[in-house]
Amino acid sequence: MIEAAMIWNEPNNKSHWDLEIDPDWSRYADMVVRAGSAIQDVNPAVTRVLGGMSPIDPHWVNRMRDHGALDAVDVVAVHGFPLDWNLWPIHDWPDKIAEIEAVVPDKPIWVTEVGVGSFGAEEVQVFGVNRTAELLVGRVPRIFWYSLYDLPQEWGATTRHREAEGSSYYRHFYMGLIRADGTPKPALEDYAKVAGDMGLMQWFHFEDPRLDDAVAWMKRLGVRHLRTGLSWADSFRPNAIDWFDRQMEALADFDVTVTFCFTPEHLGIAPHHSSAVHEPDAFADFCAWMIDRYAPASATMPAVRTA
């Protein structure tokens, strides 16, 4: 069920990677090299994806090449939210893709997060779904709309933005096609028309109560491709493997791009999910373990964690 593995999420965004600890991304690149090699060793058929960049930045991609990270991945990924956070118009999507193609002519470019929120008006999201499909379907091999569900406000957003920053923070809670109470927004009907070509990106929180309903909605919509995450930090929680197994079994009918990210506090240089780590091989071991368990190269029993 796992067709691709993404190595971290938005590593050039300080919400997800601590740039004070790793200002030149050399530690991140080292993690990519080790994780990419580990994934390939377990199952060379799994596509390895460089953590989706946000902002879209060809200079950062060149830095990744200089550090050797591009040699350890098969795909370069971008994220864009031009009607909510980015300082460029939605109509510039083709130009943004071309910027990255120009510096990585030898690898496919995937759009692993694109979205338009309904914070200001739900009609804006309807426009966003349709215009995004017009610009990107057929332009890139994979597109993942963010997201199926609104984030419940009581959960809080995993971001540097806080309430004092106004809409920059609150927009996080309005990115779904379905409201937090389970009712569909107008844009869901428009998304359904392109669901076979434009997949979904949906984070599932630990023991997320929305999992079964999400699977039912995605099957009803005709979704084929899904991007989600398996949290390295969550792997140290009690009953983590039971949850991972349930999540991945529920998603077995989809082609899944799984994102490996979030530093366990006790393994980070700083005690935070965005921190680089003392032992980068520990992250590579986690990636290899997850691929061996959920996407083994041959039909074998799931791997058992020994440490």
Side-chain angles (χ1 to χ4, degrees), residues 16 35 47-48 53 57 92 99 105 121 129 146 160 168 190 233 267 299:
H16 298 287
T47 298
R48 301 162 300 168
M53 72 186 84
D57 183 357
D92 282 359
E99 286 180 11
V129 167
Y146 178 83
R160 71 180 183 273
S168 290
D190 293 81
L267 296 181

